[in-house]
Amino acid sequence: MELPIITGELQEHNVAHENQINFCKSIKNIFPEYFAGVTVLDIGSLDVNGNNKYLFDKDTIYLGLDLASGENVDIICSGHEINLPSETFDMIVSTECLEHDRHWIETLQNAVRMLRPGGMLLTTCATVGRPEHGTRRTTPQDAPLLEHVDIEWSDYYMNLTEDDFRSALNIEENFQYAKFEVEHSTYDLYFVGIKSGKFMKRKNRSIDSISHPFQKAHQELLKEVDRARQEGIGLREDLSALTKAHAHLLSQISLAEFARSAPRFEEEALLQSQKAELAQMGARATKLEAELQVLRAQYQAVIASTAWRITGPMRRLANAMPSSQRLLLRRAAKLAYWTVTPHRMPRRIAFLKQRGGATMSPSRTPDYRDMVGRDHYFLDDATVLPEESFDPGFYRYTRGLKGISALDAYKHYLEHRNSPQIYRSILEVPADQGVRLLSPPERDAAVISAVIGIVTYGTSIDQVKTIVQTALKAATQSLSPHKVRIAILDNGSPFSIADLQEEVDFSQAPENGGFGRGHNELMRRAFEEGADVYIAVNPDGAFHPDCLRELFNLHVTKNGNALIEAIQFPEEHPKFYDPITLRTDWTSGACLLIPRDVWETIGGFDENIFLYCEDVDFSWRARKAGFDTLTCPTALFWHDLSDREESEWRTREVLISSRYLAHKWGSKKFRQWVETVLVERELAFSREELPPIDDLPIMEDPGSIPDFDHEFHYASVRWW
């Protein structure tokens, strides 16, 4: 009977395994003679999520073949290597196996050889669109026998197509009937083919008949399998003993090598420690020198004041008085300051009123949530503070000017009080230079391929929908035809990806490896697949519609040589950034654009950090490698922390990560202080109970990049 070759048929189903079962049952309904009283070989028969025996009646001779022993496995062999006689089987079936088979072409060709004329070949496998699975790097539990073969096989995966089957099987010549189906909802490829020739069942159906040629081969094969298993037990015992002996020998060699090299390592470690300490002392000396200059200026101002001259005789007299009388004299001097110079009193009163709203204390902090861009950098006070009332230390600190020792703070205040200039720089910079950086690039930008990576843990489906939907909205607003896709790695959350209608690349981590490890895995995949940039975002945030457009514009303007963070709202991060150059000491991982060049130069996040501070370390390493770290004030990312409750575990994670950061970047003082806080707050019983980090790597020659002077801000701040 000549039947036509059919392609491209489609069925609608819901669940992957249910779809495959329905397909097999539909073939059984059409061709029932192939499922009763036949000889069957099942390639890849291990019972992982069920097996194919249910399809056949009790009179069928059913043999299961797989790479190692297990439930529903009769023959331990690969599909391309089994050498049973040609034209042996009435039916050969293989479900959910071929995408893991390195030798799938040879396996299919071997199956056709062993198939009798008119026999049926029935297969299901993964096709284009199905995520990789069953490999060591993804979900090894889905293909547990691959590890028994070799490393290359356990890392192999390939989705197959109809064209692959046709090129391997020469279907027009070998089959009188062939049918392909593609299940798009679960990315399944189904194939059923009837080999050319007339189908005739064997007359001898007795399973116990030794005269049955196949049964003889079966019995001999089972005997060989049993002998091989017995021999394998002995070989495994010998191999185990050899492995233990080898491990012991390696440990002895390692101890000897360590004993020989330990003095050299200790000397190098001591030298590095001394260099780091010397660099810190130098930085501290520079800082103290700047503070000393400020104190000297304040001292000279006091010496030159009218009050100081008037109270001179009183001070000399006070030296001979008892302490109680000196206290009264100081009070009299203070009264003289306010009465002897009455022409200054109105300005002093005005200053005291004004200063009450200018100290930036938590209770008086301005509402920055209503500000955008750089508004909070500009002074708008109408009243000029008198020099004797001006606090240069406070001004330097809040304006990011602490490191400029030669700056006359009061002169700088008078010149820039109401000017839209950057307070951090004493250079004359055109007022539109910062705006120029944030303008669309003058040249036409190439299409950017971007992956937005989201690592979830304990995340609700509502949060996932919000971040995904706002990301897609922002992608459509980016004006240029940039290619943006979304990848999610779940470390353990209650949501089901089936509840998300939008298309994303979803994968499940085998364990919760933390923020940095999760993003490293997504970054690795993104850049291996050709992405130009990776955007790491927190799952509890949302994109402003213009956010991606602004990030992409600045990325192109900077030629891909910078880490770029978005501004967080409704409340910004307090760390300082330069509104002209847009530089900042480190960039937050809440919404962070990472170019390919950065990944290829310094790698990803430090996986020794489980949570918090990984973005600080990543930014510092990028700066050390010559990249910029920038804030894009026109790219807004909603990340509301106002309702986040303080908890002991979060505080402990922050402190643990800060301790490692101080170790890595050479600040013994900060590390000791953090350890003291951990013990005093009873987040650790003792220093000895803390995780060991002394053997973990440290940064050589960190220079002036790390900032431990501002505690957990790790940068100068605009408010506190």
Side-chain angles (χ1 to χ4, degrees), residues 71-93:
E71 186 177 351
N72 204 46
V73 178
D74 301 304
I75 304 173
I76 301 174
C77 185
S78 59
H80 71 289
E81 291 178 326
I82 183 170
N83 192 24
L84 289 175
S86 299
E87 300 183 0
T88 297
F89 296 98
D90 301 312
M91 173 80 154
I92 295 180
V93 60

Side-chain angles (χ1 to χ4, degrees), residues 90 135 155 169 199 222 252 341 395 432 552 555 580 672:
D90 301 312
T135 58
D155 284 335
L169 293 180
F199 179 58
L222 291 180
Q252 295 300 318
T341 55
Y395 183 82
D432 65 341
F552 289 156
H555 167 73
I580 298 297
Q672 292 172 354

Side-chain angles (χ1 to χ4, degrees), residues 498-532:
D499 296 331
L500 189 66
Q501 297 179 352
E502 292 75 15
E503 183 177 352
V504 300
D505 294 337
F506 178 80
S507 56
Q508 186 78 46
E511 61 179 358
N512 182 13
F515 178 92
R517 183 184 297 179
H519 277 293
N520 284 351
E521 175 62 21
L522 292 179
M523 262 194 287
R524 178 188 63 77
R525 298 179 197 170
F527 290 125
E528 283 181 356
E529 294 169 2
D532 301 309

Side-chain angles (χ1 to χ4, degrees), residues 430-448:
D432 65 341
Q433 182 168 335
V435 176
R436 193 177 305 145
L437 272 177
L438 298 172
S439 301
E442 295 179 359
R443 57 186 174 85
D444 291 335
V447 174
I448 297 174

